[in-house]
């Protein structure tokens, strides 16, 4: 079950149980040790295969197309359903990996739990295309939704990990441009601070089976490409959230990115935003992707949040 907003949800000295050690070993084997072209190509290829094989797409259809040369796809229910609202989903992958196939898993789960059509897209990746390429692509896709006739308030922005960073950065850019903001934001283990200043990076490093501070530093450097990582468009944690839409943040208790979620929620609440932080006990980075009971429950919580706020 989840709990809301504990300061110290797990003692830093707690060690991984056998299941977590296995997960850490398996995931570590697939995490590129260096951001070489060969390693990145392998990771991206494996993510595409994994997503296509594991996405729960029964009763849904996946419609691929392009938006100004950006690969994109709609995930829709096959049965008749209301289409007033939609979810714009930004995939994770540290800004250096992730693709449409990888997006299928959470896109299908978001469609299944909410009934909304979900638009996923394949933004350009670092190091080949550093900041602001991904953000520019996200805005292009947002503008496409506006051209389709959606109202900004009818769009839910969703993202996991770096995709959570991208969703927040897009919302900050829209606000700076004086444009209407989305109706709500859903964030799964968002990476909000590329400077790595949160206490959980050290406190939970032995608990996290998925990520390391070294990996985050490497992909963050590749994406920022010499830009100041504390810039709000790179580290949304340091942005101005006044006027932001209702936001749900879900994070696992076993994450070095725990502080990224906790501090984001604190800052949003200080700015008057309706923000809810759910901490999921014994869970890891973007656990919602896995075929787990807690993952299903977490998706249900997202649907309930949207029913309450929209």
């Amino acid at each position: 079950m989840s709990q809301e907003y504990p300061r110290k949800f797990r003692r830093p000295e707690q060690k991984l149980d056998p299941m977590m050690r296995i997960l850490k070993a398996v995931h570590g084997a697939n995490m590129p040790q260096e951001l070489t072209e060969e390693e990145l190509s392998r990771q991206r290829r494996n993510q595409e295969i994994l997503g296509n094989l594991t996405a729960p797409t029964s009763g849904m259809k996946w419609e691929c197309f392009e938006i100004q040369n950006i690969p994109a796809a709609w995930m829709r229910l096959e049965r008749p359903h209301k289409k007033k609202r939609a979810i714009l989903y930004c995939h994770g992958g540290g800004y250096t990996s992730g693709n449409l196939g990888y997006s299928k898993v959470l896109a299908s789960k978001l469609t299944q739990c909410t009934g909304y059509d979900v638009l996923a897209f394949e933004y350009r990746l670092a190091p080949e295309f550093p900041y602001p390429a991904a953000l520019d692509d996200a805005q292009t896709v947002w503008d496409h939704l506006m051209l389709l006739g959606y109202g900004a308030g009818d769009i839910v922005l969703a993202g996991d990990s770096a995709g959570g960073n991208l969703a927040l950065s897009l919302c900050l850019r829209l606000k700076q441009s004086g444009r209407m903001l989305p109706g709500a934001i859903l964030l799964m283990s968002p990476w909000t601070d590329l400077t790595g200043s949160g206490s959980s990076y050290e406190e939970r490093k032995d608990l996290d089976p998925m990520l390391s501070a070294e990996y985050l530093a490497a992909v963050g450097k590749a994406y920022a490409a010499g830009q100041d990582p504390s810039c709000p468009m790179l580290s949304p944690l340091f942005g101005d959230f006044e006027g932001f839409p209702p936001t749900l943040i879900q994070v696992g208790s076993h994450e070095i990115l725990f502080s990224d979620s906790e501090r984001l929620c604190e800052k949003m609440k200080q700015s008057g935003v309706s923000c809810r932080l759910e901490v999921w006990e014994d869970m890891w980075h973007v656990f919602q992707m896995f075929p787990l009971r807690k993952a299903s429950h977490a998706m249900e919580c997202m649907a309930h949040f949207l029913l309450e706020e929209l």
Side-chain angles (χ1 to χ4, degrees), residues 30-294:
N30 290 317
M31 182 183 295
Q33 300 303 307
E34 298 180 13
L35 297 182
T36 64
E37 182 178 350
E38 181 180 359
E39 287 290 337
L40 285 173
S41 177
R42 179 182 64 83
Q43 186 187 36
R44 294 167 183 174
R45 183 172 59 252
N46 288 345
Q47 286 177 330
E48 180 85 30
I49 294 171
L50 179 66
N52 283 320
L53 288 176
T54 62
T57 57
S58 177
M60 289 171 272
K61 52 186 177 180
W62 180 247
E63 303 170 358
C64 295
F65 65 108
E66 286 191 352
I67 302 170
Q68 297 184 31
N69 296 319
I70 301 170
W74 283 103
M75 184 67 81
R76 308 181 194 268
L77 293 175
E78 290 182 337
R79 61 176 172 78
H81 59 284
K82 294 181 180 179
K83 297 186 178 181
K84 177 185 176 182
R85 293 193 172 95
I87 295 174
L88 176 55
Y89 166 59
C90 306
H91 68 74
Y95 280 119
T96 62
S97 64
N99 40 53
L100 275 186
Y102 187 62
S103 298
K104 261 188 177 182
V105 178
L106 285 175
S108 61
K109 290 190 173 190
L110 285 165
T111 298
Q112 191 174 53
C113 75
T114 65
Y116 295 176
D117 291 349
V118 174
L119 178 58
F121 64 104
E122 189 174 298
Y123 52 83
R124 288 169 292 170
L125 299 172
E128 301 96 321
F129 300 99
Y131 170 84
L135 182 55
D136 290 343
D137 290 350
Q139 183 168 347
T140 297
V141 176
W142 173 269
D143 291 342
H144 175 76
L145 286 172
M146 299 300 101
L147 289 173
L148 290 180
Y150 287 98
D154 295 326
I155 303 298
V156 175
L157 269 182
D160 65 288
S161 193
N165 180 300
L166 184 57
L168 289 166
S169 297
L170 174 59
C171 204
L172 285 170
R173 179 183 275 192
L174 293 172
K175 178 185 171 182
Q176 288 184 0
S177 302
R179 299 181 61 177
M180 299 292 291
L181 302 185
I185 301 176
L186 302 175
L187 302 173
M188 293 161 273
S189 303
W191 184 26
T192 67
D193 177 14
L194 268 63
T195 71
S197 61
S199 61
S200 60
Y201 281 71
E202 178 64 28
E203 293 174 348
R204 298 171 191 246
K205 66 180 181 180
D206 293 329
L207 291 176
D208 194 323
M210 304 292 286
L211 296 177
S212 69
E214 293 77 15
Y215 169 76
L216 290 171
V219 295
K221 182 178 180 180
Y223 179 58
Q227 300 291 319
D228 181 0
S230 66
C231 164
M233 290 301 175
L234 288 167
S235 295
L237 177 64
F238 306 121
D240 177 9
F241 299 109
E242 184 176 356
F244 257 52
T247 301
L248 173 64
I249 308 167
Q250 294 182 341
V251 66
S253 64
H254 283 23
E255 294 201 44
I256 63 172
L257 288 182
F258 185 89
S259 295
D260 285 44
S261 290
E262 183 182 47
R263 295 164 72 195
L264 175 66
C265 184
E266 289 174 348
K267 190 161 185 181
M268 281 189 157
K269 287 185 173 182
Q270 290 169 3
S271 299
V273 179
S274 175
C275 183
R276 181 185 305 170
L277 173 63
E278 292 180 355
V279 179
W280 290 79
E281 184 179 1
D282 298 328
M283 291 292 100
W284 51 86
H285 190 64
V286 197
F287 69 93
Q288 296 89 343
M289 291 191 71
F290 291 75
L292 303 169
R293 182 174 297 178
K294 282 187 179 179

